[in-house]
Amino acid sequence: DEAQEYLQTKHIIYESIQEIGEVKHNFSHQIWIIKVYFVSLQEKIRHELFVSSKEIQEKYSLPTVFQKVWNLQKEKNQKLF
């Protein structure tokens, strides 16, 4: 699976991985079809920023494509943080 291969190449240790769906985004003259996964990590990834759901909603502005991903995980009732 693509997601598992990616995590392995980055040496990211995870407990579980589940595909939760796809989002479609029209960007300029291209259509992006993005597979979305829920990954449960065994430990935080060094040199990465981890924030809570509340912080994402209150402090950060998400680009449209990431808003679609965020909404998909809420729709699928996945708890990110």
Side-chain angles (χ1 to χ4, degrees):
D1 180 68
E2 292 175 54
Q4 290 174 326
E5 287 178 24
Y6 174 80
L7 294 170
Q8 289 172 352
T9 62
K10 297 294 183 182
H11 306 287
I12 297 171
I13 301 170
Y14 62 94
E15 292 177 6
S16 64
I17 184 168
Q18 177 185 3
E19 185 175 339
I20 60 172
E22 291 183 347
V23 294
K24 190 177 191 180
H25 181 69
N26 296 326
F27 181 75
S28 189
H29 292 59
Q30 299 179 15
I31 298 175
W32 293 352
I33 299 173
I34 302 167
K35 289 183 184 178
V36 180
Y37 296 87
F38 180 82
V39 179
S40 178
L41 301 176
Q42 286 186 358
E43 57 188 48
K44 288 183 178 180
I45 303 168
R46 292 180 55 210
H47 308 294
E48 297 292 336
L49 175 66
F50 285 81
V51 296
S52 68
S53 297
K54 183 178 179 180
E55 287 177 298
I56 288 173
Q57 294 171 343
E58 293 177 356
K59 292 184 177 182
Y60 297 94
S61 175
L62 294 177
T64 303
V65 66
F66 295 121
Q67 289 174 18
K68 291 178 181 182
V69 170
W70 182 260
N71 291 334
L72 176 65
Q73 67 80 25
K74 287 192 327 190
E75 176 186 311
K76 297 289 185 171
N77 201 26
Q78 297 288 332
K79 185 176 180 182
L80 285 179
F81 304 102

